[in-house]
Amino acid sequence: MQSNLEEAINEWHASVNAGDLQRSARAVGDPVVVLGPKGAGPIAPAQFAEWVERSGIKLVPRSWHPVSERLMVVEEDATWPESTESTRVATVFRAAGGKVTAALRLPDLKAALELAYICREMAATE
């Protein structure tokens, strides 16, 4: 049986990879916190859908690394319309209420796991 966290992450990947803008907007919280090469911060679901359309990214999950009930790191192969080969990246996902509330993309698994563990410890000490 899949956890709510895994279900939310699977829906996020499915909607992004399909390029389905309405579905992508429904897959994320309001706001959703994002991190990527062009910046970080909270954005609205409509802005997330715009990013899906603009980037044309496809992210194929390769390995899953549970960090807590609400945090998961997923190592992925990323491709963009202009790329001929995939690039391995890793994303820290947080979910609540069946929606992804944070998607923090980092250049590698080590960096993503380090960030996820810091986030977990910060949440535990609130």
Side-chain angles (χ1 to χ4, degrees):
M1 184 169 140
Q2 286 188 330
S3 71
N4 288 335
L5 176 59
E6 288 175 272
E7 289 173 7
I9 295 168
N10 282 333
E11 176 58 19
W12 185 94
H13 279 102
S15 67
V16 168
N17 290 336
D20 186 326
L21 305 187
Q22 283 97 12
R23 186 177 175 190
S24 294
R26 287 190 309 268
V28 298
D30 189 6
V32 58
V33 178
V34 296
L35 169 67
K38 295 190 178 178
I43 61 173
Q47 292 171 300
F48 178 73
E50 289 168 9
W51 169 80
V52 169
E53 182 176 45
R54 193 173 52 253
S55 72
I57 197 169
K58 306 285 186 246
L59 292 152
V60 178
R62 294 298 177 201
S63 64
W64 296 69
H65 306 269
V67 176
S68 71
E69 285 185 18
R70 293 188 58 211
L71 291 174
M72 174 89 68
V73 173
V74 180
E75 192 173 31
E76 303 146 319
D77 285 338
T79 55
W80 295 265
E82 66 277 0
S83 61
T84 56
E85 293 186 23
S86 65
T87 301
R88 185 66 51 98
V89 298
T91 304
V92 178
F93 287 99
R94 181 185 67 193
K99 297 178 182 277
V100 168
T101 58
L104 313 174
R105 194 174 83 229
L106 292 132
D108 58 53
L109 181 60
K110 183 178 185 287
L113 287 170
E114 287 173 353
L115 179 58
Y117 291 131
I118 289 168
C119 291
R120 181 188 67 191
E121 296 308 312
M122 287 176 56
T125 59
E126 283 187 297

